[in-house]
Amino acid sequence: MPALPSWLTEPLWDQFVALLPKRPEFHPDHPLGCHRRRISDRIIFDKMLQLLRFGCSYEAIADTACSATTIRTRRDEWIQLGVFAQLKKIALDSYDRIVGLVLDQIAVDGSITKAPGGGEAAGRSPVDRGKQGLKRSGMTDGYGIPLGRVLAGANRHDSPLLAPTLDRLDDLGPLPDDITVHLDAGYDSDKTRELLSERGLHGRIAHKGEKAPIQASRRWHVERTHAWQNAFYRLARCYERRATVIDAFFDLADTIITVRSLIRRAWTTHRWDERPNRRP
């Protein structure tokens, strides 16, 4: 069963393989040149998509094509090369060029998920009887395109994570002069308002004690993006222990979300050879 439809997988792979360095089929240092061939990068890439989408273990996804060790080794190799982060940046740049990021309206919010394996970014979850959990402080544009995130233990409050989350805006290049940040009542404090004022940002913050629908504003976009990310079961129930690996899977998921939104929104205005027959 494919993890993603072909109209989404193929453009992802075409760009992904362009970021990989050229590697010989056989290792040049082998004295006889007759050892096993290097496993194809496309096989590992498809396995990574399956891991992200279905949330299964490396051993469960391994087969005669490649072993679990090979998947982990190639994954770490790609992380060290920064391929996942580059892929996400290219997807964001393409979306901004074709559709346009809504950067004058930013939404930030936290989301807690399970982390049964613990690890560097895990902490005691206040909503799961103290079990290990992972919090991500996510930031989206006005449509819900993920712009970045900060990982922390589930016991961290949203408010202290706002500053490092907003720092991700520095990676986006030129920004509008007037930016409004939409936040929920968890950020309702003078400290948050001072932080936004120091950065030249306007805050639209829900007030504590008032019903959310009255002041929901455009905050629902980040809530929807959290739901999109949790549809990838690797992120909804994270067994990875290293923060770099978790970030890599998040970068891959954010790339998929961005490219999927790009294809969906450009379907009615653009034509290309591999365009789906129906709007996705």
Side-chain angles (χ1 to χ4, degrees), residues 134-148:
L134 172 70
K135 171 171 283 190
R136 64 176 180 270
S137 176
M139 178 174 59
T140 67
D141 78 333
Y143 179 75
I145 300 301
L147 302 177

Side-chain angles (χ1 to χ4, degrees), residues 5-15 42 274:
S6 59
W7 56 262
L8 185 52
T9 305
E10 294 307 319
L12 286 172
W13 167 247
D14 290 342
Q15 186 58 66
R42 179 58 191 267
E274 295 81 13

Side-chain angles (χ1 to χ4, degrees), residues 9-70:
T9 305
E10 294 307 319
L12 286 172
W13 167 247
D14 290 342
Q15 186 58 66
F16 190 86
V17 71
L19 298 173
L20 300 179
K22 298 296 183 182
R23 297 292 174 87
E25 186 178 5
F26 296 102
H27 198 286
D29 295 336
H30 194 275
L32 300 178
C34 59
H35 62 301
R36 290 183 298 176
R37 290 181 171 85
R38 177 182 170 87
I39 302 297
S40 170
D41 288 326
R42 179 58 191 267
I43 293 176
I44 308 298
F45 179 75
D46 289 339
K47 296 293 185 185
M48 290 289 291
L49 293 180
Q50 294 173 28
L51 285 168
L52 176 65
R53 180 65 181 85
F54 303 132
C56 50
S57 66
Y58 291 91
E59 286 71 18
I61 208 67
D63 53 21
T64 56
C66 66
S67 66
T69 301
T70 301

Side-chain angles (χ1 to χ4, degrees), residues 57-274:
S57 66
Y58 291 91
E59 286 71 18
I61 208 67
D63 53 21
T64 56
C66 66
S67 66
T69 301
T70 301
I71 300 174
R72 292 191 184 95
T73 301
R74 198 72 58 88
R75 174 207 67 192
D76 292 341
E77 177 184 322
W78 291 343
I79 291 174
Q80 187 175 6
L81 292 172
V83 176
F84 295 105
Q86 294 177 54
L87 186 67
K88 179 192 172 184
K89 186 178 186 307
I90 291 173
L92 277 177
D93 292 343
S94 300
Y95 184 95
D96 191 25
R97 184 175 64 255
I98 298 173
V99 178
L101 292 169
V102 187
L103 295 178
D104 60 336
Q105 303 291 331
I106 300 295
V108 179
D109 197 13
S111 176
I112 295 177
T113 55
K114 295 179 180 292
E120 297 175 353
R124 290 174 58 86
S125 176
V127 297
D128 195 18
R129 297 170 292 173
K131 296 181 180 179
Q132 292 293 294
L134 172 70
K135 171 171 283 190
R136 64 176 180 270
S137 176
M139 178 174 59
T140 67
D141 78 333
Y143 179 75
I145 300 301
L147 302 177
R149 100 238 23 118
V150 172
L151 302 179
N155 54 340
R156 292 287 303 278
H157 194 272
D158 290 346
S159 184
L161 300 176
L162 178 60
T165 304
L166 292 175
D167 288 341
R168 300 296 188 271
L169 289 173
D170 298 336
D171 301 331
L172 300 178
L175 297 172
D177 295 331
D178 190 10
I179 300 178
T180 301
V181 182
H182 299 267
L183 303 167
D184 64 16
Y187 300 88
D188 186 17
S189 67
D190 293 337
K191 185 176 181 180
T192 297
R193 293 182 176 85
E194 291 175 3
L195 171 66
L196 295 176
S197 179
E198 291 172 358
R199 293 170 178 257
L201 305 174
H202 302 287
R204 188 170 182 184
I205 309 172
H207 298 303
K208 296 178 181 178
E210 297 185 14
K211 293 184 178 180
I214 299 176
Q215 299 184 6
S217 65
R218 303 183 66 171
R219 199 178 63 248
W220 66 272
H221 291 100
V222 69
E223 302 287 353
R224 180 181 63 176
T225 301
H226 283 317
W228 285 344
Q229 292 171 331
N230 288 338
F232 298 99
Y233 294 114
R234 196 81 186 172
L235 308 181
R237 192 177 183 88
C238 181
Y239 285 92
E240 301 291 351
R241 297 183 58 83
R242 287 188 292 152
T244 54
V245 177
I246 301 173
D247 268 323
F249 275 112
F250 265 107
D251 284 341
L252 184 56
D254 290 350
T255 301
I256 294 171
I257 292 171
T258 304
V259 174
R260 183 176 60 193
S261 298
L262 171 59
I263 294 175
R264 181 177 295 146
R265 302 189 70 185
W267 190 87
T268 55
T269 58
H270 294 73
R271 296 292 183 270
W272 61 95
D273 294 338
E274 295 81 13

